Amino acid sequence: LHLSYSEAGEIRDRLSSTELSMASEKDGDLRLKNRLGESRSPYILNSHFIPIKIDREERPDVDAIYMNYVQATTGSGGWPLNVFLTPDLEPVFGGTYWPGPNHSMTAQGTLFSHTVGFLEILQKMRDVWTKQESKCRESAKQITRQLREFAEEGVHSRQMGEKSDDQGLDIDLLEEAYQHFRKKYDNVNGGFSIAPKFPTPVNLQFLLRLGHWPQAVKDVVGEEECTSAAGMAINTLRKMARGGIRDQIGFGFSRYSVTKDWSLPHFEKMLYDQDQLLDVYLDAFLTTKDPEMLGAVYDIATYLTTPPMASPTGGFYSAEDADSYPTFSENEKREGAYYVWTLKELRTVLGDRDGNVCARFYGALADGNVARENDPHDEFIDQN
């Protein structure tokens, strides 16, 4: 049984009494560990489900499919979106936010004391699937057929992954897509929005490859437009590679930038971003032969094949948390604490000469280079 959900990071943040942590290297499984010290092992999610994390910013098409299901079956929707799927990716049950274990929301005597929690949902779904798998599969197929019928009637514009053999690609859609990105493009900083900015590698890949389609596409979209599309993608990749969204020391890219110039990241790093960005930076290098693009390829590949992302038992971990401890002696985590530097620290590690060169290159300042409006919790005071 698969579990698919959008914005799973929001779930983690909102399960206020719990956090995911790795168990000992001996057993290598995931535990549900209470911040007060309680633990449950093995963690039910890891033991009985295959968690699939979908970022709705990266894949709004997938999000729309399962949001349509939740809205049709519950009468409402929202995020975080949680959907239980069969191995054929057909939905069995779904909803939005369910509180975690020991959450204050479900405490006795409160308005929501009878609210079913996330852990209870997992247990119920495990039991139902174990005892009534065939019924779950048939129900999922039935609701999928109904949703497809709704889609054909125009209730929902996208069918659930179904393709028609007698319909080719409308080339005009490619031209419309190019014009859409052209209008949203940031000529100064790259990217296609104001803050926050997400890498959206699938969009960059589309723009990079537009000029490699058959001549019929170029005739409709235009030769200059195809060249412009690649230019927008390459400039965006270059701005990202030179910005704070890229970990210049530990490698890898953060999930998004808080600022429009890519300078201040949200420090969480996602496996799926690295996977897609590796592909698009390699395409950019093959297009431009620019060593800077190849450097990004090597950095991402190194990040994926070494700790902490590479598991010692094989495979990869799904993400790195944005929060970390500022020092070894502190017990309260802060956003990005592991990644930021004071100017004094740069000079101490590199020496005055190299430290000053580094500070000049990266814009490090004595009082920090994070604007106050981007630091509402005062976590980046004097930090760079």
Side-chain angles (χ1 to χ4, degrees):
L1 182 63
H2 292 238
L3 173 69
S4 177
Y5 51 84
S6 290
E7 293 295 87
E10 295 179 28
I11 299 174
R12 183 205 61 224
D13 293 339
R14 296 175 69 178
L15 297 182
S16 66
S17 64
T18 62
E19 64 179 359
L20 290 178
S21 66
M22 290 309 299
S24 64
E25 292 184 2
K26 181 178 179 181
D27 52 40
D29 67 344
L30 280 174
R31 296 185 182 185
L32 184 64
K33 186 176 182 182
N34 189 283
R35 287 198 177 110
L36 297 178
E38 300 174 5
S39 65
R40 299 172 185 230
S41 179
Y43 182 31
I44 185 174
L45 181 60
N46 194 57
S47 301
H48 299 281
F49 303 87
I50 300 176
I52 302 176
K53 184 171 184 175
I54 303 294
D55 189 325
R56 64 187 174 97
E57 295 285 348
E58 302 278 1
R59 291 303 303 269
D61 53 333
V62 175
D63 178 72
I65 290 170
Y66 295 114
M67 179 61 77
N68 185 51
Y69 162 74
V70 169
Q71 289 175 328
T73 54
T74 69
S76 61
W79 297 278
L81 176 65
N82 297 274
V83 185
F84 292 85
L85 311 175
T86 70
D88 296 322
L89 306 184
E90 295 172 329
V92 176
F93 178 72
T96 53
Y97 173 63
W98 297 305
N102 304 319
H103 197 286
S104 58
M105 180 179 176
T106 57
Q108 290 295 324
T110 65
L111 180 63
F112 301 100
S113 59
H114 299 293
T115 300
V116 177
F118 187 53
L119 192 59
E120 293 174 88
I121 294 290
L122 293 176
Q123 292 168 337
K124 289 179 183 295
M125 290 308 302
R126 174 199 61 192
D127 295 342
V128 168
W129 181 261
T130 301
K131 298 174 182 177
Q132 304 179 50
E133 179 182 336
S134 59
K135 186 176 181 180
C136 288
R137 287 180 179 271
E138 181 54 39
S139 175
K141 290 186 182 298
Q142 182 178 354
I143 189 65
T144 300
R145 284 194 297 268
Q146 292 175 344
L147 289 172
R148 282 177 173 152
E149 291 173 3
F150 293 154
E152 291 170 359
E153 294 171 5
V155 174
H156 192 58
S157 61
R158 301 183 69 89
Q159 292 186 345
M160 299 185 72
E162 189 176 63
K163 295 181 180 179
S164 175
D165 294 333
D166 58 355
Q167 292 183 352
L169 175 66
D170 185 349
I171 297 179
D172 287 338
L173 291 177
L174 299 179
E175 199 274 334
E176 290 177 18
Y178 164 77
Q179 293 298 339
H180 168 77
F181 289 119
R182 177 68 262 178
K183 291 177 182 176
K184 297 182 66 176
Y185 180 60
D186 182 343
N187 289 285
V188 176
N189 302 298
F192 303 91
S193 68
I194 54 176
K197 274 187 175 171
F198 288 79
T200 57
V202 289
N203 296 339
L204 298 173
Q205 200 133 49
F206 163 75
L207 293 168
L208 268 177
R209 294 182 176 181
L210 190 58
H212 296 279
W213 285 72
Q215 186 60 43
V217 172
K218 296 180 181 179
D219 291 342
V220 173
V221 178
E223 292 279 357
E224 290 186 9
E225 285 76 7
C226 288
T227 301
S228 171
M232 289 189 292
I234 291 166
N235 186 51
T236 298
L237 289 168
R238 184 172 288 118
K239 295 291 187 179
M240 287 166 48
R242 296 176 182 178
I245 193 174
R246 179 186 182 184
D247 186 345
Q248 307 289 341
I249 298 176
F251 308 138
F253 284 79
S254 297
R255 182 165 171 253
Y256 64 88
S257 173
V258 176
T259 56
K260 64 181 180 180
D261 61 355
W262 307 102
S263 61
L264 178 62
H266 170 57
F267 289 89
E268 187 177 30
K269 294 183 191 174
M270 316 305 296
L271 177 64
Y272 57 73
D273 279 330
Q274 319 308 320
D275 171 29
Q276 296 177 89
L277 286 170
L278 178 66
D279 198 26
V280 74
Y281 269 106
L282 183 56
D283 274 359
F285 170 70
L286 294 175
T287 300
T288 64
K289 300 299 186 290
D290 184 347
E292 188 172 12
M293 300 294 134
L294 185 60
V297 171
Y298 281 129
D299 281 2
I300 297 172
T302 300
Y303 178 63
L304 290 174
T305 54
T306 56
M309 288 303 280
S311 167
T313 57
F316 308 92
Y317 294 119
S318 62
E320 276 196 90
D321 198 350
D323 297 337
S324 50
Y325 296 109
T327 65
F328 290 113
S329 61
E330 296 189 48
N331 55 15
E332 182 179 343
K333 292 182 178 180
R334 297 180 186 175
E335 164 91 13
Y338 178 77
Y339 300 96
V340 293
W341 297 71
T342 64
L343 182 59
K344 181 180 179 180
E345 288 171 335
L346 279 176
R347 289 171 175 164
T348 299
V349 172
L350 300 176
D352 287 342
R353 188 195 66 175
D354 292 346
N356 288 333
V357 171
C358 181
R360 182 71 178 270
F361 183 82
Y362 288 110
L365 303 172
D367 56 353
N369 59 8
V370 178
R372 288 304 301 267
E373 61 266 24
N374 295 322
D375 186 21
H377 304 296
D378 294 333
E379 295 177 305
F380 302 121
I381 293 176
D382 297 336
Q383 303 291 334
N384 297 277

